Amino acid sequence: MIPREFAYERPESVADAAGLLRSHGDGARVLAGGHSLLPMMKLRLAAPETLVDIGGISSLRGITDAGSYFEIGALTRHADLAGSDLLGLACPVLASAAAGIGDPQVRNRGTIGGSLAQADPHGDLPAVLVALDGEVTAEGPDGTRTIPARDLFRGFLTTSLAADEILTAVRVPKAPHSTYVKFNRRAQDWAIAGVAAVVDGDSARIALTGVGAAPVRAEAAERAFWGGNAAEAAARAADGLDPPSDAAGSADYRRHLARVLTLRALEEAIGG
Ligand SMILES: Cc1cc2nc3c(=O)[nH]c(=O)nc-3n(C[C@H](O)[C@H](O)[C@H](O)COP(=O)(O)OP(=O)(O)OC[C@H]3O[C@@H](n4cnc5c(N)ncnc54)[C@H](O)[C@@H]3O)c2cc1C
């Protein structure tokens, strides 16, 4: 439970942080809330030579109402998302997912940028970003680029961020008819499966957590929903899924959860 020795840097700007990441090469890792990286270091599943702690860059924190969408700084904590009245009304899928992450300690340290960069297949926020069709901004020594959610998540703990890029902001559209539901065995556990649903008139976008190496769009369910048919959509929610079997549940159990949770999420989103 003791990490390998590492060097520690605490830059004051994104440009300095990106410069440090480039100069230290593959041996450096960004540190945000530390609630995924530090446990991995303690278990020696990660052993960075240098930690670049971006926690002091205050410009990376906050939720801005930009009209039709929200711009959210990467260092915004889960507790800030969960407690935001703005998000609660205009983007409840994000607020409800954040409210169900871990326990109060995790929610008060963990950040939206860290959750997305970590790309844990059981993490809640990646599926939310996919269902919202949101995007992130990444800044590196060579400039700034926008990455749509569909291009961000590449597989197990893998994103399309370069090693010297920092995820600086998240943009999500307003989606008042949306929600996130997850199933776990004990309160505060990670999701065995979860569903993010965003309903917009006759159509819905649905993304699943815990049923693959990365968030999965339930496209057959989305097509079946057309016109508002939640039951038909839920029946198709596991079409094409190839979920893992592990100690938390078999593949069949996860398919079952995908259907049950999709119905719950769509009914809640329509009613919201
Ligand atoms: C007990 C416990 C329970 C938890 N339960 C849940 C749960 O139910 N649901 C859930 O979704 N999560 C859960 N988590 C994970 C938690 O949400 C983490 O906070 C989150 O996964 C990572 O965010 P962080 O800010 O702590 O990132 P860190 O741990 O600091 O970093 C995680 C990874 O992302 C990289 N990174 C961080 N920020 C950036 C950035 N801005 N740009 C580029 N790379 C970056 C780091 O280099 C590292 O590789 C749990 C964690 C714990 C310890």
Side-chain angles (χ1 to χ4, degrees):
M1 294 300 279
I2 297 175
R4 276 187 213 283
E5 218 169 89
F6 56 88
Y8 177 80
E9 304 273 8
R10 193 168 163 89
E12 288 180 1
S13 70
V14 173
D16 288 350
L20 283 165
L21 289 173
R22 175 152 293 181
S23 64
H24 287 288
D26 280 348
R29 290 281 281 275
V30 172
L31 177 70
H35 268 53
S36 288
L37 184 53
L38 297 185
M40 287 174 66
M41 288 171 63
K42 287 181 176 178
L43 293 168
R44 302 221 171 176
L45 297 172
E49 288 159 18
T50 306
L51 285 185
V52 177
D53 181 354
I54 59 172
I57 309 176
S58 55
S59 59
L60 293 182
R61 185 164 294 139
I63 302 168
T64 307
D65 185 340
S68 60
Y69 64 94
F70 291 108
E71 171 114 2
I72 301 168
L75 286 181
T76 307
R77 295 185 174 137
H78 307 322
D80 300 324
L81 303 173
S84 161
D85 292 338
L86 274 178
L87 292 181
L89 281 173
C91 198
V93 64
L94 185 50
S96 58
I101 291 178
D103 52 34
Q105 288 92 328
V106 174
R107 293 195 290 276
N108 278 297
R109 292 297 307 172
T111 66
I112 185 170
S115 280
L116 299 175
Q118 178 71 10
D120 191 301
H122 295 275
D124 300 301
L125 299 186
V128 171
L129 190 72
V130 168
L132 283 168
D133 205 16
E135 57 189 30
V136 302
T137 304
E139 237 177 286
D142 300 324
T144 301
R145 67 186 176 121
T146 298
I147 310 174
R150 64 181 167 278
D151 297 334
L152 181 62
F153 304 106
R154 288 277 167 85
F156 182 75
L157 302 183
T158 308
T159 68
S160 54
L161 288 166
D164 56 7
E165 273 184 324
I166 293 157
L167 192 164
T168 54
V170 181
R171 263 182 306 280
V172 292
K174 289 188 176 170
H177 298 286
S178 65
T179 197
Y180 182 76
V181 294
K182 79 179 190 184
F183 187 80
N184 47 17
R185 281 191 295 190
R186 298 170 308 182
Q188 306 179 352
D189 269 356
W190 293 77
I192 300 174
V195 175
V198 177
V199 173
D200 183 7
D202 280 340
S203 67
R205 292 178 62 90
I206 302 163
L208 310 177
T209 295
V211 296
V216 178
R217 277 272 301 283
E219 290 178 357
E222 291 176 0
R223 285 191 295 274
F225 179 80
W226 186 253
N229 194 335
E232 187 62 29
R236 307 295 305 275
D239 286 14
L241 286 188
D242 185 18
S245 285
D246 56 28
S250 66
D252 272 347
Y253 182 55
R254 286 195 160 89
R255 287 190 195 95
H256 167 74
L257 285 178
R259 289 187 284 265
V260 171
L261 298 178
T262 296
L263 182 60
R264 238 177 250 173
L266 286 172
E267 286 180 343
E268 205 176 294
I270 292 166

